Structure formats: structure tokens, C-alpha cells
């Protein structure tokens, strides 16, 4: 197979009006595939996620996670001069991604209708909270708020103790759906059937719609059974046995079965409990779900008498899915990452830091793993590319329409 000559999205320019996680995750994915991402930030502080904490060599963990491989351009979009620079930038762009407050893009002259007239070749993608046209469309939406509103928290945690999943699932999944939409439209653009004289399609992706999609199993179950399933901690309402069990040497093992054959092997080969394997209360998965507590008690008793290593070896031999419960610190040292060279290094304004490679492994392609940008670090370079002279750039700085690199 011939070596890949260029990145999949080489030559694609993305302009990002983004904050926090959802849109930055979208554009980071595009950057990982080789797109040029120009992140437009407010000169007075920039993306507020830059300052959530300072644990990464004085930088915020959220920001360095979501913003590698981008360029930072600082513009005061409340000024006429700042908006003029933005529109000149969009004249040369392929994609605009935004996740501003409700109504903000329209105030900037970047509504769907305005983009179709002024920048007809730009694929405009807006990430919002609840989508247009509903009673919540005007509301601000953050990851926790949307996870609560969409029912996700009600099926996470334990009965009477709902929880938000640890990672920002609403933000991340919505950002990835947005990136997927952009890639699909870029493919369409490159096809022979694309209409060159038609405005580029626009896309809106809402956090609420994404999380409603993630709730697909639970919503389907509730609609057809009339039952709101209760959260089960580290288990699943859909299958049994399936859960986490303390081991005899102080660890926690997770064991799971997804069909009747696996259940038979778990009962007979791991537990040595032919009586459970033959018990009609556990014949089918639906029966085992009803009688989950009995099975969990038996599995927990067996696990408590054995070490993690023994349990996992026996489970592997029997073809039973199993895992060790790990903390983030455990995962940092996980051999599945280190032995597969999944860690790389990226530059930041405060020095190099470790960073995981993006999940897709594409033959012949090495992800660029570009630097995390300092605030406004690329402002003058981008302005020069847009045709501004040194005198004009100095004037923009003097007016406050653009910010100095690193200014907060």
C-alpha cells in the first residue's frame, strides 16, 4: 500500500468561535485530521476554559486537552474593525464552527441566512443547547444541565443517588457529531454531484438532541414498557450478571455476560455452581435481570475469596468478559497505552506535555499533534495572510480591535 501523501483534511481551513468543550472538541478532531483551525478569541482573556485551573504547568487541563493543533487569533468582535477582520477571514475559510450564547451568531452577522449571502461557500456549524423552536431554546446549556434535562443523570449513579457521568459526555459527543457532519459535507463538496452555485449547507447540533440520542435504549424501554429503569451504579439494567465485585486482595473486578452461553460458562467454569446454571430462575437474560440480586450475591462471595489475577485468568480461560476497575492515575500507567505507544508529546506556551494520540489509527498517517496556542499567538501572522500591512496591523492593535499575544 502506498504511503499517504497528505492529511485527510489538508487544505481545509476552519474558523472557530468557541468556548469550553463542545466546539473545541469538534475542531480539535478536525485538526487531528489535518485541518487548519483558527481559533478566534476575545482579547480580554480568550476562551474562559483557559482559566478553569492551572494544574498543567500553569495551564488549565480542559484547555490543553481540547485545543492542540490550533492557531489563536484575538479579535474584539464588538468592534467594527474586529468584525471586518472576521469576515475577511471567512472569505478564505471552508468551515465556521461556533458554540456561542443563544442569538450571538446572528448579532455578529453570522446567522444561517446571513452566511448564505455573505459567505456562501462556508459550511456553518452551530452547536447550541436545546435546538431552535422549543420552549428551552433560549436557555444557556452546560454539560451538567443538559445531562439532567435529558434524563442521563437519572440512569447514572444508584437509586436515590443520581449522578452525572464523570467525563463531559454531552459536550464531547455533540462535538464529535458536529465534526462528523462537517466531514460528510466536505465529502459531498468534493463529489461530482455537488452544486457549485448553491450555498454551502448549514448544520446545527444541540447538546439536548445528542444526549436524547445517547438515551436511546432507556427511552425505547420506557416507551414500550412504561417503566423508568433505575440506575445500577457499575451495572446495566439490560443484562445480568454484569457488575463490579470486590476481590480478596483489595481490588475490584468487573465481570459481564451478554448471552446465555456466557452465563452458563460463568456459572459452571468460574463459580463452580452447576446448581445456578441449571436453576430455571436464571435460564434467560430476562429471568436473570429479575433475579439479579441472587446472582450478584453468589458472584460477590466467590470474588471475595479470590485474587484479582486469579479471577481474570479464570475468566479469560472461560471466555468471560472482565476488567479491572481503575482510577485515572492507574490509567496513566496502563500498559495497554504505553506498550502500544499511545502517548505522544505536544508543545504548549509553558513547555511540552504528554498527550494521548487521537483514537483513530489510520494506516500511513501520523496525526500532527500540533501545539496548544497561547492567547493571540498567531494574530499578526493571520492578519498578514489576510493582506493587512504592518501599518494596518499596528493600527488594529492601537484600536484594541485585536489583542497582543498572551494578553489576558
Amino acid at each position: 500500500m502506498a504511503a499517504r501523501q497528505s492529511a485527510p483534511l489538508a487544505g481545509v481551513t476552519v474558523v472557530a468561535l468557541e468556548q469550553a468543550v463542545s466546539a473545541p472538541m469538534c475542531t480539535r478532531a478536525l485538526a487531528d485530521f489535518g485541518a487548519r483551525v483558527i481559533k478566534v478569541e476575545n482579547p480580554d482573556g480568550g476562551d474562559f476554559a483557559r482559566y478553569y485551573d492551572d494544574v498543567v504547568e500553569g495551564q488549565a487541563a480542559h484547555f490543553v486537552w481540547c485545543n492542540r493543533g490550533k492557531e489563536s487569533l484575538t479579535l474584539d468582535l464588538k468592534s467594527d474593525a474586529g468584525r471586518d477582520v472576521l469576515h475577511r477571514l471567512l472569505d478564505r475559510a471552508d468551515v465556521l464552527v461556533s458554540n456561542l450564547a443563544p442569538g450571538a451568531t446572528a448579532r455578529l452577522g453570522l446567522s444561517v441566512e446571513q452566511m448564505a449571502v455573505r459567505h456562501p461557500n462556508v459550511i456553518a456549524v452551530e452547536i447550541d443547547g436545546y435546538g431552535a423552536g422549543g420552549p428551552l431554546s433560549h436557555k444557556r446549556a452546560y454539560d451538567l444541565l443538559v445531562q439532567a434535562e435529558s434524563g442521563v443523570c437519572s440512569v447514572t449513579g444508584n437509586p436515590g443517588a443520581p449522578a452525572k457521568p464523570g467525563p463531559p459526555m454531552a459536550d464531547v459527543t455533540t462535538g464529535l457529531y458536529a465534526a462528523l457532519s462537517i466531514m460528510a459535507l466536505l465529502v459531498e463538496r468534493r463529489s461530482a454531484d455537488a452544486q457549485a452555485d448553491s450555498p454551502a449547507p448549514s448544520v446545527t447540533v444541540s447538546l439536548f438532541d445528542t444526549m436524547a440520542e445517547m438515551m436511546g435504549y432507556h427511552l425505547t424501554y420506557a416507551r414500550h414498557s412504561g417503566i423508568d429503569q433505575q440506575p445500577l451504579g457499575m451495572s446495566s439494567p439490560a443484562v445480568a450478571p454484569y457488575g463490579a465485585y470486590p476481590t480478596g486482595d483489595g481490588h475490584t473486578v468487573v465481570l459481564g455476560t451478554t448471552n446465555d452461553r456466557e452465563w452458563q460458562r460463568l456459572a459452571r467454569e468460574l463459580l463452580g455452581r452447576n446448581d445456578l446454571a441449571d436453576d430455571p430462575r436464571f435460564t434467560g437474560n430476562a429471568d436473570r435481570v429479575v433475579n439479579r440480586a441472587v446472582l450478584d450475591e453468589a458472584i460477590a462471595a466467590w470474588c471475595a475469596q479470590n485474587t484479582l489475577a486469579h479471577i481474570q485468568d479464570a475468566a479469560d480461560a472461560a471466555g468471560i468478559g472482565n476488567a479491572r476497575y481503575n482510577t485515572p492515575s492507574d490509567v496513566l500507567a496502563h500498559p495497554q497505552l504505553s506498550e502500544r505507544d499511545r502517548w505522544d508529546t505536544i508543545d504548549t506556551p509553558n513547555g511540552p506535555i504528554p498527550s494521548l494520540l487521537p483514537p483513530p489509527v489510520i494506516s500511513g498517517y501520523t496525526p500532527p499533534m500540533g501545539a496548544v496556542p497561547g492567547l493571540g499567538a498567531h494574530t499578526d501572522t493571520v492578519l498578514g495572510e489576510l493582506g493587512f500591512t504592518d501599518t494596518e496591523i499596528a493600527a488594529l492593535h492601537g484600536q484594541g480591535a485585536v489583542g497582543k499575544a498572551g494578553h489576558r
Side-chain angles (χ1 to χ4, degrees), residues 3-52:
R4 180 177 293 277
Q5 297 300 309
S6 64
L9 294 183
V12 173
T13 298
V14 179
V15 176
L17 303 177
E18 59 183 22
Q19 303 274 10
V21 176
S22 60
M25 181 56 66
C26 168
T27 57
R28 198 208 79 177
L30 300 177
D32 285 340
F33 286 110
R36 181 186 188 188
V37 177
I38 300 174
K39 183 181 180 80
V40 178
E41 300 188 72
N42 187 326
D44 186 16
D47 184 339
F48 54 73
R50 285 182 177 274
Y51 313 107
Y52 278 166

Side-chain angles (χ1 to χ4, degrees), residues 313-333:
D313 287 345
D316 285 342
I320 300 300
N322 64 92
R324 171 187 171 181
Y325 165 80
N326 286 321
T327 66
S329 294
D330 294 328
V331 177
L332 288 175

Side-chain angles (χ1 to χ4, degrees), residues 300-312:
W302 180 79
C303 288
Q305 297 172 1
N306 292 281
T307 65
L308 174 68
H310 173 76
I311 294 168
Q312 290 199 278

Side-chain angles (χ1 to χ4, degrees), residues 19-260:
Q19 303 274 10
V21 176
S22 60
M25 181 56 66
C26 168
T27 57
R28 198 208 79 177
L30 300 177
D32 285 340
F33 286 110
R36 181 186 188 188
V37 177
I38 300 174
K39 183 181 180 80
V40 178
E41 300 188 72
N42 187 326
D44 186 16
D47 184 339
F48 54 73
R50 285 182 177 274
Y51 313 107
Y52 278 166
D53 55 59
D54 59 1
V55 300
V56 187
E57 305 295 337
Q59 304 159 111
H62 271 95
F63 190 83
V64 299
W65 168 45
C66 294
N67 288 282
R68 67 170 179 241
K70 303 179 186 181
E71 301 171 39
S72 175
L73 166 67
T74 48
L75 296 177
D76 178 5
L77 296 180
K78 294 181 180 179
S79 70
D80 291 340
R83 288 192 298 273
D84 176 66
V85 172
L86 175 61
H87 286 291
R88 287 175 65 166
L89 181 60
L90 288 170
D91 285 338
R92 302 184 178 199
D94 299 287
V95 180
L96 169 66
V97 177
S98 64
N99 68 329
L100 305 180
T105 51
R107 291 192 294 272
L108 292 172
L110 302 175
S111 68
V112 170
E113 296 76 16
Q114 292 164 323
M115 288 292 292
V117 173
R118 189 159 184 178
H119 304 290
N121 296 320
V122 176
I123 298 169
V125 180
E126 184 166 2
I127 296 173
D128 63 19
Y130 294 101
L136 303 183
S137 298
H138 66 288
K139 294 176 70 69
R140 287 183 177 270
Y142 305 133
D143 184 86
L144 169 61
L145 307 181
V146 173
Q147 294 213 43
E149 194 76 42
S150 62
V152 172
C153 294
S154 75
V155 297
T156 308
N158 290 286
K164 184 190 87 67
M169 300 304 297
D171 284 333
V172 171
T173 53
T174 303
L176 294 179
Y177 263 110
L180 178 63
S181 302
I182 291 166
M183 292 183 181
L185 293 175
L186 289 171
V187 169
E188 179 188 51
R189 170 177 289 180
R190 294 174 178 178
S191 72
D193 296 331
Q195 299 296 315
D197 57 348
S198 300
S202 63
V203 180
T204 58
V205 188
S206 80
L207 276 70
F208 184 78
D209 289 347
T210 301
M211 294 319 293
E213 170 65 20
M214 295 298 103
M215 285 286 290
Y217 161 73
H218 296 90
L219 297 180
T220 301
Y221 191 97
R223 178 183 293 278
H224 295 280
S225 70
I227 297 171
D228 288 331
Q229 293 177 312
Q230 294 300 298
L232 292 172
M234 287 184 62
S235 186
S236 167
V239 291
Y242 197 92
Y245 309 94
T247 69
D249 56 347
H251 297 287
T252 298
V253 68
V254 181
L255 297 172
T257 62
T258 58
N259 58 61
D260 296 339

Side-chain angles (χ1 to χ4, degrees), residues 81 85 380 383 388-402:
V85 172
D380 288 0
L383 292 175
F388 288 90
T389 66
D390 290 346
T391 301
E392 291 171 326
I393 293 173
L396 289 170
H397 281 288
Q399 299 166 24
V402 301

